C-alpha cells in the first residue's frame, strides 16, 4: 500500500486525508494519508524521514511551501515560476516538486466568473499567493495588484512577476472585479470603495462549519463571496493525478461527505 501525508503547522484542521481517501475509493485504490505537524527547523528532516520510510507523496501546506520548493532538486516549470511547492514525490532517489494551487483556483473560479479582462486584487504574498499569481496572469486578466502586511515580501514577489502592481492597503482607491484573500489571518479593515456591487470576493481559507471572516465581511458589504473549499478539492485532484496518473471522477460526493454544498 502507498503512503501519503500532508505537512503543515497548524495541521489539525486539514481535510486532505479525507479528500485523498475519497478520491482513492472512487478509483478502487488503497492508500494511507496522514497529517504531520512539524516546525521550520525540523521541516527538512521530517520530509527526509517520510521518504526514507517508503512514503510516496507529500502535500505541503502553510507555512512550508517555500521551504519545500528549496528542498526539491527537480521542479516543474509552474513550480519554478511560483518558487513555492505543495506537492512532493521521490523519483529514483531525487526529490521532485510541483505546485497545484494555481490549477486549483483557476478551475474553481471558472464556476464563479470569467477572468478575462478583470481587475484583480490579491491580499497576502506567501506561498499560496506566489502559486496563484502566474496562472491568474496567464488567464488574460486586465491587471493584478498585490497587498501584503509585510511590504518587502510583496516587493519580492513583484521581482518575479514584474507585470503586477504592489500597493499598501491604505493606498487603494479603486474597486476590483475580484478580490482574493490569501492571508492566513485576513486583514480586519479595508479602505472604502474597494468593492463594487459586482465584485467577487474569494477566500483561500475555508471552514466547513461557518463562513470565514473574509467571506462574512464581503457578504455584509453586499458582495458575492466564496471560500477555498472548491480550490482545495481541485488542487488535491491535481496532486492526486501527479502521484497516481488518474483523476477522480467527481467531487460532489466529497462535498456531501464534508457536509458542504457548492458555495
Ligand atoms: N483552499 C486551498 O486550497 C488553499 C491552498 C493554499 C493555501 N490556502 C490557505 O491560504 C492561506 C495562506 O497559505 P500560505 O501557504 O500562503 O501561507 P504563508 O506562506 O505562511 O503566508 C501567509 C500570508 O498571510 C499573511 N498574514 C499572516 N497573518 C496576517 C495578519 N494578521 N494580517 C495580514 N496578513 C497576514 C502573511 O503576511 P506576512 O508576509 O506579512 O507575514 C502572508 O502573506 C492559508 O490560510 C492556507 O490554508 C488554501
Amino acid at each position: 500500500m502507498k503512503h501519503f501525508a500532508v505537512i503543515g503547522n497548524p495541521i489539525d484542521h486539514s481535510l486532505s486525508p479525507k479528500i485523498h481517501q475519497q478520491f482513492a475509493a472512487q478509483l478502487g485504490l488503497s492508500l494511507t494519508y496522514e497529517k504531520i505537524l512539524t516546525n521550520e527547523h525540523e521541516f527538512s528532516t521530517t520530509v527526509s524521514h517520510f521518504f526514507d520510510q517508503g512514503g510516496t507523496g507529500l502535500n505541503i501546506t502553510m507555512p512550508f511551501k517555500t521551504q519545500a520548493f528549496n528542498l526539491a532538486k527537480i521542479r516543474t516549470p509552474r513550480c519554478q515560476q511560483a518558487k513555492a511547492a505543495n506537492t512532493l514525490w521521490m523519483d529514483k532517489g531525487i526529490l521532485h516538486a510541483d505546485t497545484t494551487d494555481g490549477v486549483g483556483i483557476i478551475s474553481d473560479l471558472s464556476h464563479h466568473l470569467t477572468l478575462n479582462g478583470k481587475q484583480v486584487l490579491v491580499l497576502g504574498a506567501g506561498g499560496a499567493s506566489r502559486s496563484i499569481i502566474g496562472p491568474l496572469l496567464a488567464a488574460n486578466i486586465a491587471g493584478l495588484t498585490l497587498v501584503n502586511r509585510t511590504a518587502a515580501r510583496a516587493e519580492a514577489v513583484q521581482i518575479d512577476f514584474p507585470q503586477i502592481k504592489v500597493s499598501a492597503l491604505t493606498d487603494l482607491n479603486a474597486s476590483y472585479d475580484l478580490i482574493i484573500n490569501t492571508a492566513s489571518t485576513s486583514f480586519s479593515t479595508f479602505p472604502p470603495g474597494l468593492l463594487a456591487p459586482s465584485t467577487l470576493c474569494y477566500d483561500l481559507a475555508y471552514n466547513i462549519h461557518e463562513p470565514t471572516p473574509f467571506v462574512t465581511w464581503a457578504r455584509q458589504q453586499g458582495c458575492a463571496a466564496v471560500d477555498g473549499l472548491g480550490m482545495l478539492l481541485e488542487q488535491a485532484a491535481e496532486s492526486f493525478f501527479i502521484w497516481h496518473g488518474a483523476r477522480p471522477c467527481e467531487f460532489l460526493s466529497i462535498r456531501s461527505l464534508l457536509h458542504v454544498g457548492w458555495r
Side-chain angles (χ1 to χ4, degrees), residues 15 27 29 49 51 53 55 59 72 90 103 111 118 126 140 153 165 181 188 199-200 205 208 214 226 237 241 244 257:
L15 298 173
L27 294 162
L29 301 172
H49 181 73
F51 287 113
Q53 297 298 304
N59 279 134
M90 200 65 89
V103 171
H111 297 293
K118 298 293 191 294
N140 213 18
R153 206 169 175 192
K165 283 187 222 157
N181 176 50
S188 49
T199 301
L200 173 70
I208 58 170
F214 182 68
V226 281
F241 178 70
H244 303 280
L257 175 95

Side-chain angles (χ1 to χ4, degrees), residues 13 52 81 108 123 125 127 131 164 172 174 211 216 237 242:
H13 69 289
D52 288 349
Q81 182 191 46
D108 194 44
L123 306 169
S131 300
I164 70 171
L172 298 177
T216 302
I242 290 167

Side-chain angles (χ1 to χ4, degrees), residues 121 123 168-174 187 189-195 217:
L121 173 64
L123 306 169
L169 190 61
T170 46
D171 289 344
L172 298 177
N173 55 14
F187 292 89
T189 54
F190 294 94
L194 217 53
L195 302 175
W217 167 80

Side-chain angles (χ1 to χ4, degrees), residues 160-193:
D160 293 330
F161 299 96
Q163 314 93 306
I164 70 171
K165 283 187 222 157
V166 167
S167 173
L169 190 61
T170 46
D171 289 344
L172 298 177
N173 55 14
S175 66
Y176 292 84
D177 300 306
L178 172 64
I179 303 181
I180 302 175
N181 176 50
T182 79
S184 48
T185 303
S186 57
F187 292 89
S188 49
T189 54
F190 294 94

Side-chain angles (χ1 to χ4, degrees), residues 119-148:
Q119 282 291 348
V120 181
L121 173 64
V122 175
L123 306 169
S129 174
R130 283 185 155 279
S131 300
I132 67 171
I133 286 175
L136 286 168
L137 292 171
N140 213 18
I141 56 173
L144 191 151
T145 304
L146 180 65
V147 166
N148 194 48

Side-chain angles (χ1 to χ4, degrees), residues 62 65 125-128 148-150 153 182-185 204 228 231-232:
M62 70 168 190
K65 291 182 183 195
N148 194 48
R149 178 179 59 176
T150 308
R153 206 169 175 192
T182 79
S184 48
T185 303
L204 261 62
M231 172 180 170
L232 183 74

Side-chain angles (χ1 to χ4, degrees), residues 95-118:
L95 187 63
H96 287 58
D98 197 354
T99 175
T100 66
D101 285 339
V103 171
I105 195 167
I106 298 292
S107 300
D108 194 44
L109 277 172
S110 71
H111 297 293
H112 304 286
L113 90 170
T114 305
L115 283 164
N116 187 16
K118 298 293 191 294

